[in-house]
Amino acid sequence: MLPVLPEAACARITKFSFGDHLLSDNIREIPYNYTSYSDREIVKRFLGEDAWDDLNVLRIQRRTGRSARMLFEILGDVWVVERNVFLKNDLLSFDDIQRMKRFARFWDLFYNSGNFKQSLPLLWPDGDVFQAFHAFSVWIYAQTQSTWKISLERLAELLFQYLLKQEHEAAPLAATLLADLLKLEGRKIPNFLKPYAHAKPDLSTQRASVFNKRQIRHT
């Protein structure tokens, strides 16, 4: 069983700056971290800079803190193994290490890429990000048997298929995916989404709005 921090210690480490509502860079909630690395550096290493920003937002909304503790405990487990080659080789099986690497790779492709900002959170409607994405990453690998050379269209199709299995309705799901994929000018509608082309978002007004805002900033 992983150790539970005393309430007094939790109170000290969960303080954040009310001036800008951001966590201190040297805050420590990740267990087993006996290095000079802060929580931010560890989160950034495994999950990316955007994940740290999201944790800041979620911290303000935190109630029980159970999901946060679970996430930090998992990061602590991964971190202590990452920093100790003997533990990595002796305590984890080859399959365990490969699963961890696949999780990190798929997280990078789906989350850190920024290509699925609206559609990816549909994986965790209850807020349990780790468990939801872990199940998704296991399913993806069962379909692809690879973590490399997967096109953006294939990634989108995998996400679409998986969310359909989670009983999401096809039409609104397709509209959300199209909004993600077509936000960059020049991208084409993927073949698997062409039956839902009528749900294509009108991005012309959005781009005009962004352009106008830039003009205002520079005048």
Side-chain angles (χ1 to χ4, degrees):
M1 177 180 292
L2 294 171
V4 178
L5 293 174
E7 289 185 6
C10 288
R12 288 196 298 273
I13 63 177
T14 55
K15 289 175 66 178
F16 59 93
S17 169
F18 287 92
D20 54 6
H21 297 287
L22 294 175
L23 293 175
S24 169
D25 285 352
N26 57 7
I27 193 169
R28 287 175 176 265
E29 283 191 272
I30 296 176
Y32 314 128
N33 177 21
Y34 305 112
T35 69
S36 60
Y37 285 82
S38 67
D39 282 6
R40 176 178 181 174
E41 292 169 314
I42 296 174
V43 170
K44 182 179 177 180
R45 184 186 184 101
F46 290 121
L47 304 178
E49 182 71 38
D50 288 345
W52 180 254
D53 295 336
D54 290 341
L55 286 174
N56 276 312
V57 175
L58 292 173
R59 180 177 301 278
I60 298 173
Q61 302 170 4
R62 182 184 292 185
R63 294 184 180 178
T64 65
R66 184 172 61 180
S67 295
R69 285 195 298 273
M70 182 176 68
L71 173 62
F72 286 133
E73 286 169 357
I74 291 167
L75 287 173
D77 290 342
V78 176
W79 179 246
V80 75
V81 172
E82 177 72 17
R83 299 294 292 176
N84 191 319
V85 67
F86 299 105
L87 284 176
K88 183 183 293 186
N89 293 335
D90 295 341
L91 298 183
L92 288 179
S93 69
F94 176 79
D95 288 342
D96 289 335
I97 295 173
Q98 293 307 306
R99 275 194 293 271
M100 289 163 53
K101 289 182 176 179
R102 289 195 292 268
F103 179 99
R105 173 60 179 163
F106 288 134
W107 182 267
D108 193 47
L109 289 174
F110 282 92
Y111 186 87
N112 291 341
S113 68
N115 287 320
F116 303 98
K117 285 190 175 182
Q118 297 182 58
S119 47
L120 193 64
L122 296 175
L123 288 173
W124 48 81
D126 60 353
D128 195 345
V129 178
F130 177 82
Q131 292 292 351
F133 194 84
H134 177 263
F136 181 48
S137 68
V138 170
W139 180 85
I140 296 172
Y141 189 71
Q143 311 306 309
T144 63
Q145 294 298 305
S146 176
T147 59
W148 299 94
K149 295 183 179 180
I150 307 175
S151 68
L152 177 61
E153 180 171 342
R154 179 60 174 148
L155 292 173
E157 185 176 15
L158 288 166
L159 181 57
F160 185 70
Q161 291 175 350
Y162 187 82
L163 288 171
L164 286 179
K165 288 168 62 71
Q166 304 302 309
E167 301 184 350
H168 286 268
E169 294 185 18
L173 175 57
T176 304
L177 266 172
L178 284 169
D180 276 338
L181 296 172
L182 301 182
K183 64 187 176 184
L184 292 183
E185 194 170 359
R187 283 182 178 173
K188 297 180 180 179
I189 298 177
N191 289 330
F192 75 95
L193 287 178
K194 285 183 178 177
Y196 307 95
H198 62 277
K200 178 181 176 181
D202 182 7
L203 300 179
S204 59
T205 55
Q206 296 179 23
R207 288 170 182 151
S209 175
V210 171
F211 178 75
N212 290 335
K213 288 179 180 177
R214 288 175 179 169
Q215 278 191 321
I216 293 171
R217 282 203 304 267
H218 293 290
T219 55

